[in-house]
Amino acid sequence: MKFHKFKPYVKCGLFLILVISLAGTANAANPGGIALCWDDTHNIGPCYQNLPIFESYNATCTMNINSLSTWGEGTTANLSALQAAGWEIAAHGYNHSDSIEFLKNHTSEEWLDQEILPNIAEMTSYGYPAYSLAYPYSSRDNTTDALLAPYFRTLRSTEFDTMDGMDVNESAAYYNFSNPTQVLYAVEIDDNSGATLESIQYGIDEAIQNGTVLVLYGHAITPTVNGDYQTSTSRLESILNYTYQKGGVFYRMEDLGNPSWMQSSPRFSTVTANFTVSTDSVLVGKAVAFVDYSVNQTAEQLDFGDNSANSSTATVTHTYTTPGTYTATLTVKNDVSSQSMTKTITVIQPTIPVANFTSDLTTGFAPLNVAFTDTSAGLPASWSWDFGDGSTSDNRNPTHTYSAGGSYNVNLTVSNEYGTDSKTAVIVVLQLPVADFSTSATGGYAPLSVTFTDCSQNATSRSWDVNNDGVADSTEAIFVYEYASAGTYTANLTAINANGTNSKTVQIIVDRRSSGGSSHSSGGGGGSPEPATNVKVKELSQAFITNGNPVKFNFPKNATAVLYLSFDSKKTVGKTTTIVEMLKNKSKLTPETPEGEVYNYLNIWVGNSGYATEKNIENAVVCFKIEKAWMKDKGIDQSSIILNRYSDKKWNPLPTKHSKDDEKYMYFTAETPGFSPFAITGEKTAKETVTEILPEPDTQDLEQNNTASEVEQEKTSMPGFEMIYCVIGLLGVFLYRRR
């Protein structure tokens, strides 16, 4: 790359371009624009009414107010809406007094106390921080500026007459970010102020071009101007539109100035006095800790109440040296308000504590929740509670729950470094009875006898009404009542003790037995397919069958060999009839006979046909009996007794167990998967066959015997005798070997 020598005018042009570029870079951080202000509380309404015009140009302004609280809720609501739209709320002097004129007859402190600080306090009470102030009537001097300097970022005034055209005082009307000043001068834009729209637009151009802010202010906004201190809506919109089209920025007065120029705003808010003490009762010579929680104070003073020196801070410890009652007073203040707060502290001469306490309850029903409050004197340092029921606590003011009735001795022991003391009180806990009872049955056929048994707790007496007629039927712990008629009865037991009563009820359902001896419930009547001519005797039993519960059918008349049968039901079918039939001969439903000696043929029918199957019942058991005389006569082995069930076209032996004996019978139980024809069988006891084997005779004897046999044979003349003797001998040998 070759370097060229530029002519002098070219060098000058490049330098200007560099300066302009740097200036543009500097101005880019704070672009030029306007800061538009509106004065006086009574002009809040017109500003709020024209808020849509401002918002159409994204313009926010500063609203300078005075004596806001005198204008009512409508004005404060409008002001809140302006703030919500991004407007600044600024000060304008509490009474809108001319500063210079006021100071001619008053001191600087009076001016601050009457005009400035009340204005700030009122604003902050509404939640508006006071960052800037507009001098009423633009009246100011160096003295007023110095007095207000600690309170605001900017002070707005007007120190010159606005001129037409290009003669606007540029140095005084603009805020420069690179050289910020606290006192700013503004141009009035009201139609009759003397400032032409052209001169204002010229000022806007100057601000935008130089990166400064032209400060403007007005008063009432109105469509038609008919006097001073009025800005027409047309002029307002022209100024907003011109700034917007030129790319100017809309500033608020709080955006100007330096935040470090003003002190923190809490000093202008209402002050609140607040402090705590570590104890309100203390022994002589012991320290009390004070902690300050006051708000917005710039100064505070704590008087301990014992003629000792005051403290300039409320976070401090203090020791009281003389017994007595003292009032500690904290006074806090700031530039706009002050407030005081007191606490009473009792200083006690060291002594052994005296135990004492109270309770919110001394008697009541269990469970009883009792709150205990320590009222001991002498400043105990520790507390030990014994509630009398085995529970304890070391809390000063505990709460305890008594779960059972009784009389409890509550003891509190208090201690400090000088000694110990105790106190005892009695808490009486009452216990209501808990009614409960059992019944031998909850349903059956009339007449139905039911045994009622009292199972209540904490009861000293009772009253039974078991037929819901309102009349006591008994006061005994156990009694029997017979329900003569069918119906649904509510049996009620009332348990009683000295503290009150408690009741429990159970429903008893009594049914009427039908003329056919069968039930009409869903469980069925237990009909039999066996021909009546083959039934020797039968016995019926009824019970209520419910899902998931065991059921038992008893046969107390002993008409058959079956004593009872039981099972667990998988289905609710209600009242059900079971029939046991003792047959004369083998059932007509079983073409075959079982193995063994038959004691009895039986049929057992439970409910309607098809109910008593493995689908609906489980854990079924049949209890039956056999006469000992039959077993003896037949020579039956006890271990061979079996209950056989006919199913799947064959006899199936069931698991059978011997359970007990009496003088006449032996009793057995058998497990069965269902109910159908049955047969009770047994096997006879096997008898041993004994064959005697004689010793072999010697030869002489054999010959003699043979001779004798021959003689005997001749004598008897019985043909084939030898053959018979041989057969008998062979049979003996065979039986001997089999053994």
Side-chain angles (χ1 to χ4, degrees), residues 290-292 297 299-304 310-317 330:
F290 296 80
V291 180
D292 182 26
Q297 77 277 17
E300 57 189 24
Q301 186 176 44
L302 178 59
D303 182 350
F304 299 109
N310 295 341
S311 172
S312 61
T313 175
T315 300
V316 65
T317 58
L330 172 64

Side-chain angles (χ1 to χ4, degrees), residues 474-492:
S474 177
T475 59
E476 299 297 325
I478 301 175
F479 84 107
V480 178
Y481 184 86
E482 182 176 284
Y483 293 92
S485 304
T488 299
Y489 300 89
T490 299
N492 178 80

Side-chain angles (χ1 to χ4, degrees), residues 245-373:
Q245 295 298 331
K246 292 290 185 175
V249 175
F250 295 98
Y251 289 95
R252 301 166 302 182
M253 296 301 291
E254 67 176 303
D255 299 325
L256 312 179
N258 192 324
S260 66
W261 291 343
M262 64 181 298
Q263 299 180 15
S264 58
S265 59
R267 63 178 293 184
F268 311 121
S269 302
T270 301
V271 70
T272 301
N274 188 19
F275 72 101
T276 63
V277 293
S278 57
T279 179
D280 55 9
S281 296
V282 65
L283 293 174
V284 170
K286 300 296 183 180
V288 178
F290 296 80
V291 180
D292 182 26
Y293 291 100
S294 301
V295 178
N296 297 332
Q297 77 277 17
T298 56
E300 57 189 24
Q301 186 176 44
L302 178 59
D303 182 350
F304 299 109
D306 60 351
N307 297 322
S308 61
N310 295 341
S311 172
S312 61
T313 175
T315 300
V316 65
T317 58
H318 182 70
T319 301
Y320 290 89
T321 59
T322 305
T325 300
Y326 302 93
T327 300
T329 303
L330 172 64
T331 301
V332 295
K333 63 180 181 178
N334 62 13
D335 291 328
V336 296
S337 65
S338 65
Q339 192 180 64
S340 296
M341 177 184 178
T342 63
K343 283 187 177 293
T344 300
I345 299 173
T346 302
V347 181
I348 303 170
Q349 186 68 39
T351 182
I352 297 174
V354 178
N356 198 12
F357 66 91
T358 62
S359 61
D360 62 339
L361 297 171
T362 58
T363 186
F365 288 100
L368 184 65
N369 194 51
V370 183
F372 297 93
T373 302

Side-chain angles (χ1 to χ4, degrees), residues 108-286:
S108 298
E109 288 75 14
E110 289 175 330
W111 180 59
L112 290 174
D113 290 342
Q114 296 181 35
E115 290 295 318
I116 304 304
L117 297 182
N119 195 192
I120 297 174
E122 182 183 50
M123 290 175 56
T124 54
S125 69
Y126 281 96
Y128 307 130
Y131 294 125
S132 63
L133 176 139
Y135 277 110
Y137 308 109
S138 296
S139 179
R140 54 155 293 280
D141 60 18
N142 291 335
T143 299
T144 61
D145 291 346
L147 290 171
L148 298 182
Y151 298 101
F152 301 100
R153 295 180 187 175
T154 60
L155 304 172
R156 199 207 77 202
S157 179
T158 299
E159 194 180 55
F160 59 90
D161 293 327
T162 303
M163 299 181 182
D164 294 338
M166 300 179 62
D167 295 327
V168 172
N169 187 327
E170 298 178 13
S171 62
Y174 302 99
Y175 173 79
N176 193 330
F177 288 102
S178 62
N179 185 24
T181 57
Q182 190 171 27
V183 180
L184 306 176
Y185 302 98
V187 176
E188 184 179 359
I189 65 169
D190 292 330
D191 287 52
N192 295 334
S193 65
T196 65
L197 182 60
E198 290 76 11
S199 66
I200 296 171
Q201 292 174 343
Y202 167 80
I204 295 172
D205 288 335
E206 286 290 312
I208 294 174
Q209 180 178 349
N210 298 318
T212 58
V213 180
L214 176 63
V215 182
L216 306 172
Y217 75 98
H219 295 86
I221 303 173
T222 177
T224 304
V225 174
N226 54 19
D228 295 335
Y229 307 111
Q230 296 178 354
T231 299
S232 64
T233 53
S234 61
R235 172 175 274 218
L236 169 64
E237 192 154 11
S238 295
I239 295 172
L240 297 177
N241 183 59
Y242 192 86
T243 304
Y244 182 81
Q245 295 298 331
K246 292 290 185 175
V249 175
F250 295 98
Y251 289 95
R252 301 166 302 182
M253 296 301 291
E254 67 176 303
D255 299 325
L256 312 179
N258 192 324
S260 66
W261 291 343
M262 64 181 298
Q263 299 180 15
S264 58
S265 59
R267 63 178 293 184
F268 311 121
S269 302
T270 301
V271 70
T272 301
N274 188 19
F275 72 101
T276 63
V277 293
S278 57
T279 179
D280 55 9
S281 296
V282 65
L283 293 174
V284 170
K286 300 296 183 180

Side-chain angles (χ1 to χ4, degrees), residues 464-477:
W464 299 90
D465 177 9
V466 297
N467 57 7
N468 51 267
D469 63 354
V471 178
D473 298 304
S474 177
T475 59
E476 299 297 325

Side-chain angles (χ1 to χ4, degrees), residues 45-63:
C47 288
Y48 171 74
Q49 294 168 5
N50 290 280
L51 185 59
I53 296 177
F54 293 98
E55 291 180 330
S56 65
Y57 296 103
N58 295 323
T60 55
C61 305
T62 296
M63 189 77 227

